[in-house]
Amino acid sequence: MAGRKGRRWLLTPLPLQGHINPMLELAQILYSEGFSITIIHTTFNSPHPSNYPHFTFSCIQHGVSQTQSSDLLNFLLQLNVKCVEPFKDCVTKLLRSDEAAVEPVACLISDAMCYFTQAVADNLHLPRIVLRTAAISSYVAFLAYPLFRQRGYIPTQDCILEEEVKELAPLRVKDLPLIKTEEPEKYYELLRNFLKETKASLGVIWNSFEGLESPALRKLSKEFSIPMFPIGPFHKHLSSSSSSSSLISQDQSCIAWLDTHPPNSVVYVSFGSLAAITETEFVELAWGLANSRHPFLWVVRPGLIKGSEWVEALPSGFLENLEGRGAIVKWAPQQEVLAHSAVGAFWTHCGWNSTLESICEGVPMICMPIFTDQKVNARYVSHVWRVGLQLEKRVEREEIQRIITTLMDVNGEAKEIRDRALKLKEEAELCLRQGGSSRSSLQALVTYILSFDSFTSQPSSLYIPFRFARKAIDDW
Ligand code: UDX
């Protein structure tokens, strides 16, 4: 733990599990670097302050209801409108508080998707840095959205799905971060704002590492005049797992179940916190897993299956007939599960956290992306890093059985994939060692933020004038 720096950072996560986890991990990393932390969160999906006694928390009321998160596009657009005033009030109060007089606020870090925070930060002359919780490679694909628009990719015609998009090779049209919507203009508006306000920030923090995404990083560095800080994998900076930021309680019993299995024997299946599949797909997956004869641990989150409460669509006696070969839980301690020696493959939707957590443990993946950045991640897993296979066909039991059998094989293609996955795991470990790329990038971030101070005439001022922060960038 570094000495206290006498500076406070304000952190604002997007209120969704896949964004809260990395933001709270980042908060812990910065706390270890000697900074004090205030988390500004919404009433919806709020983190548990009692799990972070060393942070302070400030809650804003925004009036965006929980049910709207099922319609992600409108949820994000609404959030970016309705949060402006309460967020501004909250930050103003924090900047004027007695605590801020003693310990000045150095910077605001907001999730890139909370793009409304840039105007508020400008208005309050507060430096804003962005955390982008997804991959750098998928960001490069989002940047190409004018191309999607020009070519009319939404709604996507079936006949062009397999076509390669030369500008973004090796992505095909079906790997682009597109969504199914009747209102493509709304989606483009969201992307335009999110990309524009990221560019307007003073820097971007990535939960990724140079060795994994250097081509994408180089590309972005050419387009952006702000510094990039790839300091991931965040969770590997920390001694404990991210269970404390989990919104759903994690069923620890699955670890004891894994303990009873030999190394690399179990297929772990999870689709993260948002994705949904149909009842038919669920049943096909169940039979594919059962017929593969490999033991499986499956996270079936309530809400995963459209139109079902939980697992009622399973044929009666399904699990009992497997005689212990299958276990289903509502939510697992995923980082611990992936680190368990019994896990031999991860059937995943390729959310960025899941992808990175799998890479860090050297676990080969079977990719079944559902929406947006997941499709880019899946293509990179199978065709760039080549540490997994992608389910290209429909979700049908024969294909599921075939792909599991292929990846769980001890020889051939599966062995090559496993070897590459172990090599990538080593790279993820090396980047966090002394002199490693992510460790150096973290030090650069700390120096960068502290340098804002040296441009102020009064080091204990409540906030740093924006032009000084810009000067720090020019000198950078
Ligand atoms: C969302 C988007 O869907 C994803 O595309 C984007 O990259 C991030 O935001 P989500 O779908 O939840 O995320 O997936 P993912 O990014 O994989 O994050 C899920 C998190 O929940 C991971 O940190 C994982 O460890 C955790 N988790 C998942 C659990 O703790 N238990 C589980 O059972 C499943």
Side-chain angles (χ1 to χ4, degrees):
M1 173 91 68
R4 307 316 297 161
K5 301 264 189 318
R7 291 287 177 277
R8 180 168 292 279
W9 296 44
L10 309 181
L11 274 66
T12 307
L14 181 75
L16 298 174
Q17 184 73 77
H19 293 250
I20 291 172
N21 285 358
M23 185 62 94
L24 282 154
E25 286 163 356
L26 175 64
Q28 285 172 277
I29 295 168
L30 296 174
Y31 180 79
S32 307
E33 290 297 319
F35 294 100
S36 298
I37 302 293
T38 296
I39 307 286
I40 303 178
H41 63 91
T42 57
T43 40
F44 163 59
N45 277 349
S46 51
H48 304 296
S50 57
N51 290 342
Y52 301 93
H54 44 304
F55 297 168
T56 59
F57 288 81
S58 256
C59 181
I60 58 168
Q61 313 273 342
H62 51 69
V64 185
S65 72
Q66 179 151 1
T67 49
Q68 281 170 290
S69 72
S70 54
D71 174 4
L72 207 54
L73 176 56
N74 281 310
F75 172 76
L76 292 172
L77 288 168
Q78 284 287 307
L79 193 88
N80 274 283
V81 172
K82 293 199 172 174
C83 282
V84 176
E85 285 309 317
F87 181 76
K88 191 173 165 190
D89 291 348
C90 172
V91 175
T92 306
K93 262 191 216 138
L94 289 170
L95 291 174
R96 290 190 181 143
S97 66
D98 293 344
E99 290 82 36
V102 180
E103 196 175 44
V105 173
C107 181
L108 166 73
I109 299 184
S110 98
D111 189 290
M113 275 292 170
C114 297
Y115 52 77
F116 72 93
T117 56
Q118 183 62 46
V120 177
D122 284 350
N123 196 269
L124 298 171
H125 305 286
L126 181 66
R128 170 182 178 257
I129 289 187
V130 156
L131 165 64
R132 177 58 184 157
T133 57
I136 310 174
S137 308
S138 66
Y139 193 89
V140 169
F142 280 116
L143 263 184
Y145 84 91
L147 190 83
F148 312 164
R149 196 177 184 191
Q150 182 196 329
R151 295 187 184 164
Y153 282 156
I154 304 178
T156 320
Q157 311 289 321
D158 284 354
C159 57
I160 60 165
L161 285 174
E162 299 294 333
E163 278 177 19
E164 193 181 77
V165 182
K166 273 197 225 78
E167 297 82 347
L168 294 170
L171 302 185
R172 301 156 297 181
V173 173
K174 71 179 193 185
D175 306 316
L176 296 177
L178 305 170
I179 56 167
K180 281 194 183 127
T181 174
E182 301 292 305
E183 302 169 294
E185 281 311 314
K186 271 193 178 176
Y187 185 52
Y188 295 135
E189 178 197 330
L190 179 80
L191 296 187
R192 187 169 50 247
N193 289 334
F194 140 69
L195 297 165
K196 179 172 139 256
E197 302 302 7
T198 301
K199 274 191 177 173
S201 76
L202 298 183
V204 189
I205 302 171
W206 300 95
N207 187 13
S208 187
F209 55 100
E210 242 177 76
L212 187 65
E213 298 202 90
S214 54
L217 199 57
R218 273 199 303 276
K219 208 167 186 171
L220 273 195
S221 301
K222 272 190 207 147
E223 280 210 31
F224 282 52
S225 57
I226 50 174
M228 303 279 152
F229 301 101
I231 64 169
F234 292 175
H235 68 291
K236 287 293 179 182
H237 283 264
L238 311 167
S239 46
S240 61
S241 79
S242 75
S243 54
S244 41
S245 61
S246 191
L247 298 168
I248 312 176
S249 102
Q250 296 175 326
D251 186 340
Q252 293 289 336
S253 68
C254 57
I255 300 294
W257 184 86
L258 287 173
D259 287 343
T260 64
H261 289 84
N264 297 328
S265 62
V266 174
V267 180
Y268 170 59
V269 189
S270 168
F271 298 98
S273 64
L274 288 174
I277 57 176
T278 64
E279 214 171 88
T280 313
E281 288 171 332
F282 173 66
V283 172
E284 289 301 307
L285 259 166
W287 281 118
L289 286 162
N291 296 344
S292 79
R293 314 287 305 163
H294 289 282
F296 63 87
L297 168 63
W298 191 356
V299 176
V300 181
R301 183 194 87 237
L304 169 70
I305 307 142
K306 293 176 196 163
S308 293
E309 287 283 317
W310 193 41
V311 294
E312 16 347 326
L314 276 184
S316 77
F318 176 80
L319 274 182
E320 293 74 7
N321 291 339
L322 293 176
E323 296 169 339
R325 262 193 304 114
I328 292 183
V329 292
K330 289 185 174 164
W331 197 244
Q334 180 163 300
Q335 293 177 359
E336 276 174 72
V337 167
L338 288 169
H340 198 288
S341 60
V343 173
F346 183 12
W347 188 292
T348 171
H349 70 310
C350 287
W352 183 241
N353 298 293
S354 294
T355 306
L356 193 61
E357 288 162 12
S358 203
I359 285 174
C360 288
E361 303 307 336
V363 177
M365 286 167 259
I366 300 175
C367 310
M368 186 180 132
I370 315 274
F371 59 77
T372 59
D373 66 316
Q374 300 161 13
K375 297 190 277 174
V376 181
N377 301 338
R379 187 68 172 164
Y380 272 73
V381 166
S382 57
H383 282 75
V384 178
W385 306 315
R386 299 191 297 142
V387 291
L389 300 171
Q390 181 166 352
L391 177 77
E392 297 280 359
K393 298 189 181 155
R394 288 158 65 97
V395 185
E396 282 170 352
R397 61 191 77 182
E398 293 78 13
E399 184 57 13
I400 292 161
Q401 180 184 348
R402 186 196 68 75
I403 205 163
I404 293 176
T405 310
T406 308
L407 195 65
M408 295 298 276
D409 194 357
V410 283
N411 300 309
E413 188 186 4
K415 184 174 180 316
E416 288 169 19
I417 290 176
R418 253 194 321 277
D419 289 348
R420 279 193 293 270
L422 290 174
K423 186 116 201 339
L424 210 49
K425 173 186 175 174
E426 261 171 45
E427 281 194 48
E429 283 165 0
L430 282 176
C431 74
L432 292 181
R433 301 229 179 111
Q434 205 60 38
S437 64
S438 291
R439 186 142 292 279
S440 307
S441 200
L442 174 61
Q443 288 320 312
L445 173 66
V446 170
T447 311
Y448 181 57
I449 296 296
L450 290 175
S451 77
F452 292 172
D453 264 10
S454 62
F455 295 99
T456 57
S457 49
Q458 298 163 316
S460 62
S461 64
L462 289 187
Y463 47 77
I464 295 113
F466 187 64
R467 64 180 189 284
F468 292 131
R470 281 251 62 110
K471 176 152 189 335
I473 282 197
D474 295 342
D475 292 351
W476 181 251

